[in-house]
Amino acid sequence: MFGGMSFATQSGATQNTPERQRRPEDRSNLLPVTVRLLESANEAAKTGDGELHFHGGETAPNILLLLAQVEAVHAQQKNMAEFTVCDGTGSLRVRFFATDGEAQEKALQ
């Protein structure tokens, strides 16, 4: 009676039927990436059509999310910071530009 759990599932919910197939405009605009993935996409763009493509996709996401640790700060000004980040797959030198006064103070601390 206590301690038991059961979950009901519908077996037909995971099948791709013609009306349930994802359209290109239904794709997510956010893509989590690694430094290695960014570097390989950049190399492919240099030899290809110049566009960044991830995982063989035809359309590029609008937002890339990189979770990394700041290793070194190279420059810091009122509205810009330049630093090196590392996520375990590689290191990348990045620049951050703040446009809002309050965001500048919080982000560059």
Side-chain angles (χ1 to χ4, degrees):
M1 180 176 203
F2 297 108
M5 297 182 100
S6 66
F7 296 97
T9 62
Q10 294 178 342
S11 60
T14 60
Q15 295 176 353
N16 282 336
T17 60
E19 63 272 2
R20 293 287 300 157
Q21 290 178 349
R22 296 188 84 183
R23 297 180 301 231
E25 61 270 9
D26 287 344
R27 293 185 182 159
S28 175
N29 290 330
L30 174 82
L31 178 67
V33 295
T34 62
V35 170
R36 182 176 295 171
L37 184 61
L38 287 172
E39 290 173 343
S40 64
N42 188 39
E43 288 299 317
K46 288 179 184 176
T47 60
D49 61 359
E51 296 285 327
L52 289 177
H53 297 284
F54 300 94
H55 305 296
E58 294 179 12
T59 59
N62 292 336
I63 302 170
L64 300 175
L65 176 66
L66 174 67
L67 179 63
Q69 178 180 358
V70 175
E71 289 185 329
V73 177
H74 304 291
Q76 190 169 357
Q77 299 174 0
K78 182 177 180 182
N79 63 346
M80 187 272 294
E82 185 173 337
F83 43 92
T84 301
V85 296
C86 177
D87 72 346
T89 65
S91 295
L92 186 65
R93 193 167 180 151
V94 297
R95 286 186 185 155
F96 173 77
F97 294 93
T99 56
D100 183 11
E102 186 175 325
Q104 290 174 359
E105 293 176 14
K106 289 180 181 178
L108 298 177
Q109 290 180 354

